[in-house]
Every structure is written in C-alpha cells, then in structure tokens.
Amino acid sequence: MDYVLFGIQGAGKGTQGKILIKKLVDKNNSFPIYFETGEQLRILSKEDSPLGKEIKSIIDAGHLVSNEVVMRIVENCITTLVPKNHPEMPIIFDGIPRNQEQSGTFEALLQKMNREYIGIYFDISRHEAEKRLIWRRICMDCKATYPFAYSHPVCEKCSGTLFRRTDDNPESIRTRIDIFYKETLPVIEEWKTREKMITVNGTGTIEEVSKNLFEKLG
C-alpha cells in the first residue's frame, strides 16, 4: 500500500510522513520510499542521466516543470527505487497531486504500475495554517523544515542555523493557501467520494496527530 499525503501548507504532513516511515519499517529493516516532488527534482537535476539533464535545463532556464515531466519523475522513482525482489515496498508521496489534472495522470500511472494507494488528509483550519507558517523555520545548510512546535535554535540533523523563509509572510502565505483551496481541496473531496481518502485531525501536538493517524490506519 502506498500513502499519498495531503494537507494545506503548515498542516504537518511532512512531519507525520517522517513518523510514518519509521512505523512502516519491515522485519528486514527496509525503509519505505519517501517521494517529495521538490526533493526528487533536486536529486535528479544532479544526475548525469537523460532525465536529470532535462530537469536541470528546465530549472536553469527558470521554467516550471510540466506535469508530464513530474509523472516521468514518479515513474522513474518507482522503477529505480523499488527493489525488484520487494515490489510491495510502500512509497509515501508528499506534495503530489496538486490539482485535478495531476490527480488524473498520477492515479493512472499508479494503476498502470499495479500500485495500491490511499490518501491521507491532515485537516487543519486556515487560521491554524497561517499561524504555523509564520513561525516555521528552515535549516540554512540541509534545508530541513521545522514546524512551529520545534523549540531548538539549531537543526537536529546537521546543527545548521535555522531561519524563516522570506516568502513566509502574511500576504504570500494567504496566496499559497488560496491556491490550495482552489486547486487541491477539490482533489481531496473527489478522493473522499471514492473512499480513497482518510481524514486525520491535524490540530494538536505532533504525538496526538500521530496517534490519530495510526488509529485511522488501523
């Protein structure tokens, strides 16, 4: 079973995704694959491969990566990272699909590659999302993102300095949230109608949300 994480920015899906990884480690100590679109773009752009070179040229030109290229990245992830002798290894998708067009191509690809999947929607209010985004911080060195609840002054991974993104300001945050409600929320609602979505209350401590998540997953 693959897991597709949904949530407004600041909902904590990345944090909960990392916790879910540890929960899904199998008896052979094999970790599931974590697919985050932006991270995969950065990794592939450094590879000396046809797809890597294409992505690098798009990024260097300042263009947005098309949905067709994103789907090729997803397919590349499945074919290269899922072991041939362990095809049931789960993948956790974070940040995809973002809109209904991408949802259609994404689901078609997973079905073509015989991947079973379920969506997980971390539901928080707009007010809560705005509060969290204003106070979240990024590591200057490894780019890890820390939620507002993280109280330490440095990155726990590399001890790098933490800073707030320049676009984490009220106006920019409101714009990004508007896009979520306009483009991504309809995907969530449509998946719910087909019983492909689990809704988790994302309000509360990290531990409380995790407990809610694992109860919903059974």
Side-chain angles (χ1 to χ4, degrees):
M1 177 70 72
D2 292 337
Y3 302 89
V4 187
L5 309 184
F6 290 85
I8 197 170
Q9 288 187 322
K13 63 182 184 298
T15 299
Q16 295 301 325
K18 303 299 190 300
I19 295 172
L20 183 58
I21 285 177
K22 297 176 182 177
K23 195 76 170 178
L24 294 174
V25 173
D26 65 19
K27 61 183 178 181
N28 297 317
N29 206 33
S30 296
F31 284 79
I33 298 163
Y34 196 88
F35 181 98
E36 197 278 318
T37 310
E39 180 64 20
Q40 288 298 318
L41 284 171
R42 286 188 287 272
I43 292 172
L44 283 170
S45 66
K46 297 176 182 178
E47 290 186 359
D48 186 22
S49 65
L51 180 57
K53 291 176 181 177
E54 180 180 353
I55 292 170
K56 186 177 186 304
S57 67
I58 293 171
I59 294 174
D60 288 348
H63 297 151
L64 294 175
V65 178
S66 69
N67 182 56
E68 185 270 334
V69 172
V70 171
M71 289 307 112
R72 285 165 57 195
I73 295 170
V74 174
E75 186 168 5
N76 178 78
C77 169
I78 296 171
T79 56
T80 60
L81 299 183
V82 176
K84 295 294 187 290
N85 63 343
H86 192 8
E88 69 278 9
M89 176 179 284
I91 303 173
I92 300 173
F93 292 97
D94 181 357
I96 182 174
R98 293 183 180 277
N99 53 49
Q100 289 178 305
E101 176 192 4
Q102 194 170 75
S103 176
T105 53
F106 176 70
E107 289 195 85
L109 176 59
L110 292 186
Q111 291 163 5
K112 183 186 80 170
M113 305 193 78
N114 297 313
R115 308 290 303 183
E116 295 291 334
Y117 59 96
I118 188 75
I120 303 173
Y121 173 39
F122 295 97
D123 186 16
I124 65 172
S125 70
R126 182 183 188 116
H127 173 75
E128 180 70 14
E130 290 177 356
K131 181 182 73 173
R132 292 183 181 188
L133 289 173
I134 286 174
W135 290 106
R136 76 173 177 179
R137 292 169 296 161
I138 314 293
C139 175
M140 189 172 291
D141 297 328
C142 72
K143 309 306 179 186
T145 301
Y146 289 91
F148 74 106
Y150 183 78
S151 59
H152 300 290
V154 297
C155 175
E156 65 178 359
K157 297 179 180 179
C158 70
S159 299
T161 302
L162 302 183
F163 71 100
R164 287 171 59 188
R165 284 172 29 171
T166 55
D167 62 342
D168 277 347
N169 60 74
E171 183 177 355
S172 178
I173 288 170
R174 283 194 292 269
T175 298
R176 300 204 303 272
I177 290 176
D178 286 343
I179 291 173
F180 170 83
Y181 280 112
K182 179 181 178 181
E183 298 187 0
T184 308
L185 190 59
V187 175
I188 294 167
E189 297 299 334
E190 197 273 330
W191 282 38
K192 284 181 181 179
T193 65
R194 294 187 283 115
E195 299 184 342
K196 296 293 292 184
M197 185 70 69
I198 294 170
T199 300
V200 175
N201 183 357
T203 303
T205 66
I206 292 173
E207 293 74 19
E208 288 169 343
V209 176
S210 297
K211 183 175 183 293
N212 190 0
L213 168 62
F214 298 140
E215 287 176 350
K216 290 292 182 72
L217 292 176

